[in-house]
Amino acid sequence: MQNDFYTSTEVSTITGCSRRQLQYWRDKGVVVPTVNPSGKGRNVYYSIRELVALTLMHRLLSLGLSFEPSVQVLEMLQRGETWLFGESLEPSQSKRWMIALGIKDYSPAVLNFDRDFALETIERGGGILDLASDSIYQRLKQKLAEFKGEVMPSSDDYLLAGGQESVVCRLAPIGSKELLRLDSGKAE
């Protein structure tokens, strides 16, 4: 996969981002194609590195973040977690973060996941979004496999596990008294 490049139309199909979003994000310098970043003619191609960034942007927007906070989170991860945006979908590490909202001037903060801090933030009226590198890669791998006509397990079937223990985070529906439920159990 390391030498694969994709056109805007292909990237739109793979990531779920519209071609207009891709153009807008390219114009704003958020995610710029590797080959011919000017965007002229048929020479606009995206690498795996950009597909990871686009998958992350799409995920953040789908979680309800607006454009500016999503860009801020993307930039924080690009600066602090450069390994996440490599040319391989099989990185040597895996990491889980939480995006804390409403802690300081409503800007997002990207932190290593901490259950106690997450609960404390929610109790103070802030918001927490759970984000794992494994889920980003798994989502992109699934979409690439579908695009190429290959079959692989659905991302819904993918379990994030650390050793023998797993932690599953479920957000309850809005209006529910149960804001956040953390389950810990043995991975099977």
Side-chain angles (χ1 to χ4, degrees):
M1 251 191 255
Q2 292 181 351
N3 295 324
D4 289 350
F5 289 94
Y6 301 90
T7 67
S8 295
T9 301
E10 292 170 331
V11 167
S12 178
T13 300
I14 293 165
T15 63
C17 300
S18 72
R19 290 186 66 197
R20 178 67 192 114
Q21 281 177 312
L22 297 175
Q23 178 67 46
Y24 181 75
W25 295 347
R26 183 169 57 228
D27 293 346
K28 293 287 185 185
V30 177
V31 180
V32 179
T34 298
V35 181
N36 191 3
S38 69
K40 296 184 178 165
R42 296 183 51 91
N43 297 325
V44 176
Y45 295 99
Y46 292 83
S47 70
I48 293 297
R49 177 177 295 147
E50 286 92 32
L51 288 179
V52 171
L54 291 168
T55 300
L56 177 58
M57 277 294 290
H58 188 268
R59 179 71 179 140
L60 294 170
L61 293 168
S62 72
L63 289 172
L65 282 182
S66 61
F67 178 73
E68 287 301 323
S70 294
V71 171
Q72 291 172 346
V73 169
L74 176 65
E75 290 172 348
M76 284 183 236
L77 289 171
Q78 286 173 324
R79 278 191 312 270
E81 307 289 349
T82 55
W83 61 270
L84 182 63
F85 303 95
E87 288 296 329
S88 171
L89 293 178
E90 302 296 336
S92 60
Q93 60 182 314
S94 160
K95 198 163 181 184
R96 184 175 178 200
W97 305 276
M98 59 184 188
I99 301 164
L101 305 166
I103 294 175
K104 185 178 179 183
D105 70 17
Y106 298 102
S107 294
V110 179
L111 309 164
N112 290 328
F113 190 85
D114 178 318
R115 180 185 184 276
D116 293 334
F117 185 78
L119 292 171
E120 182 182 313
T121 300
I122 290 169
E123 287 172 358
R124 287 192 324 234
I128 294 290
L129 298 175
D130 189 18
L131 186 65
S133 60
D134 291 351
S135 66
I136 295 165
Y137 289 127
Q138 183 64 22
R139 181 179 308 263
L140 181 53
K141 285 182 204 177
Q142 177 71 33
K143 294 296 186 177
L144 281 169
E146 289 171 9
F147 177 75
K148 294 177 179 181
E150 300 168 358
V151 179
M152 72 178 284
S154 163
S155 58
D156 295 336
D157 299 332
Y158 189 69
L159 173 65
L160 297 176
Q164 296 298 315
E165 296 292 320
S166 67
V167 178
V168 179
C169 180
R170 294 184 185 95
L171 293 177
I174 294 175
S176 170
K177 295 192 186 277
E178 181 185 10
L179 295 178
L180 177 68
R181 184 173 143 218
L182 294 170
D183 293 328
S184 181
K186 296 285 182 193
E188 296 181 9

